[in-house]
Amino acid sequence: MPSPALDNEPQHITPPPNHPATGLSKMGPAAWIALLVLLGAELMDMIDQSVVLTALPAIQESTGAGPDAVQWLTTGYSLPIAVGLVTGGRLGDLYGRRRILFIGTAVFATASLLCGLAAGPGVLIGARALQGVGAAVMIPQILATLHVTFEGQNRSKVFGLYGAVMSLANVLGPVMGGLLTEADLFGLSWRPIFLVNVPVGLAVLLLGRRFIPESTVRKADRPDLAGMLLSALAIVLIVFPLSEGHLHHWPLWCFAMLAAGLLVLGVFVRHQRRKQNKAPLVPLSLFRGRQFSGGTAAQLAHGLLCGLFFMTWTLYLQRGLGMSPFHAALAFVLLSLGELAGATLAAKSGGRFARRLPQAGALVAAVSMAAYGFQAAEGQAGVTLPAMTGPVVLIGFGLGMVSGPLADLSLARVPHGNAGAASGLFNTAIHLGIALGTALTAVVFFATTGGSPDAGLNRDAFVTVLWWVGGLLTLMWALMFFLPKHRENQDG
């Protein structure tokens, strides 16, 4: 069978004006600035996924948004991202990753301005959806650009920093949302949480034009429009009922949409097989590489545990232990500081330990999760924030050791011509996992509590959740055996 289109096409990397001709493979000042710009774009997106959470009461009060509208402030952002990631990544392969990054950033910054100016919930939800479209175009270009422009130990350090930024965003999102809303700058209440993206987006555009090299395939075919439509339809039909089903007590239409989504997904895969030599949206040859397929499956499991753990942990802290929102936020800060420490260790390792580092992180998180489960079961209502500091920080530390190395090792052998498509698939895995994990809460948490605020029910249900999360961490550890054992096998 002939090689799929783009798999082995020569990669064209054009340095921007005044940029060293060597691109970003050497960590000179220009390379560091380019890296900071790329990570700044990633940070902007990650923060906006959670920044609204602590501002929701103020948004409801000033816009008159009802419960359904509040739900759509998050769903309206995350759904376009899940739908558009694969398409956004492939567009970068075909038309230039820097160019598509700039388009996505411009859309994201414009939508952020519209969010900040919105007077009613309808306009705000529409602007949030437009933000999601911009993020879906922007996000895949970041991982893809890192993949095609950095090499060797520098590459491993860069992906370690990428993991650290993701961990930092977990802290900054809710904290920034609370601080900016509380500060009420210029009497704008919650609006600065969105308006702050405008200068950041402009900085990405201005600095990126000077320091980020363009990369694309020399001979690019036309985009697979039918594939884009089929993939978008399949993801909407699958992710929408998973996101909304638990709110409506799983009516029949949810299962009908899921069945239709799986049917469309089958049609999409068949279409991609026919297109393999004509620039398909998803090069199926990617999945013949064990480290990409295994790493993407591990990323899906990672999303599952995040979707299951973080929502139920919030309810456990506030309903099960009676903590205030402020003290519950401090618990998230503890976990995120642990994540930051683990990600920093991963960055400093320079990839020397290959799959052993993220596997060790998964085991540390699993053992710490078990210890936390025993503490929650034995301590009942008496568990305090200082008492849980040890296991919570260690859970974060273990998870922090996973994110950067998992992305690095999963994409290491992806042909540069397919970097955008691979990045889109890898990012889609975690978003789909989060949707599945959120849906799973109905089975393993709300089935026990029934939505009751009773402290004992919420504590018992959360202990059950921790065993599920521990099982997912063990599954991640096992899937990481598909990743390379030695660092020298990553490169190339």
Side-chain angles (χ1 to χ4, degrees), residues 419-431:
S423 173
L425 286 166
F426 189 77
N427 280 293
T428 299
I430 195 166
H431 283 85

Side-chain angles (χ1 to χ4, degrees), residues 130-156:
L130 186 61
Q131 266 192 318
V133 172
V137 174
M138 179 176 66
I139 296 170
Q141 318 315 324
I142 298 167
L143 269 182
T145 301
L146 295 179
H147 172 58
V148 302
T149 52
F150 289 93
E151 300 171 356
Q153 282 196 331
N154 284 338
R155 172 194 165 87
S156 297

